[in-house]
Amino acid sequence: MGMGEPLDNYDNVLKAIAIINSDYGLALTGAKDHPVTCGLAPRNRAARQDSAVNLAVSLNAPDDRRRNELMPINRKYPIEAIIKACKTYPMPRRRRITFEYILIAG
């Protein structure tokens, strides 16, 4: 988190996840892996098909007007498109999508 949009660097993020989850890496199960995306809606589904990680989505605002100010990507992928993509995101039992936000005074 904080190092750019993981779905823009998709192939390298998948390689890193594979290494982290491998026996020669950290041998994690993937259950706690959460690439944090700003919501590149078309890539959300591909991420689930190619990897067993959970997904975290940074909304950072309660509506499109405010999100447009904070995150210009919202003009291309508004909250409604992100929610729609998340509803079709194939999740195994006991897994979930995490929605993240920040609080800014005013």
Side-chain angles (χ1 to χ4, degrees):
M1 187 167 152
M3 298 183 67
E5 172 57 49
L7 298 182
D8 274 344
N9 193 13
Y10 188 68
D11 292 336
N12 287 320
V13 169
L14 286 181
K15 287 178 191 175
I17 290 169
I19 291 168
I20 289 168
N21 292 338
S22 72
D23 290 337
Y24 58 86
L26 298 175
L28 300 177
T29 64
K32 294 187 178 183
D33 295 343
H34 289 80
V36 179
T37 178
C38 66
L40 300 180
R43 294 204 181 157
N44 287 356
R45 188 166 183 82
R48 183 66 203 147
Q49 291 171 341
D50 295 338
S51 177
V53 298
N54 292 320
L55 184 67
V57 180
S58 291
L59 291 179
N60 295 329
D63 56 51
D64 284 323
R65 182 188 62 79
R66 287 182 224 161
R67 194 165 191 265
N68 284 341
E69 295 171 12
L70 294 172
M71 302 177 71
I73 190 71
N74 192 66
R75 291 179 185 94
K76 187 170 184 178
Y77 302 114
I79 293 172
E80 184 178 335
I82 294 168
I83 299 300
K84 183 178 178 179
C86 289
K87 285 182 177 181
T88 62
Y89 190 74
M91 295 293 294
R93 288 181 61 135
R94 302 186 133 183
R95 295 285 184 101
R96 62 183 62 132
I97 296 173
T98 304
F99 293 94
E100 300 180 347
Y101 57 91
I102 56 173
L103 298 174
I104 300 174

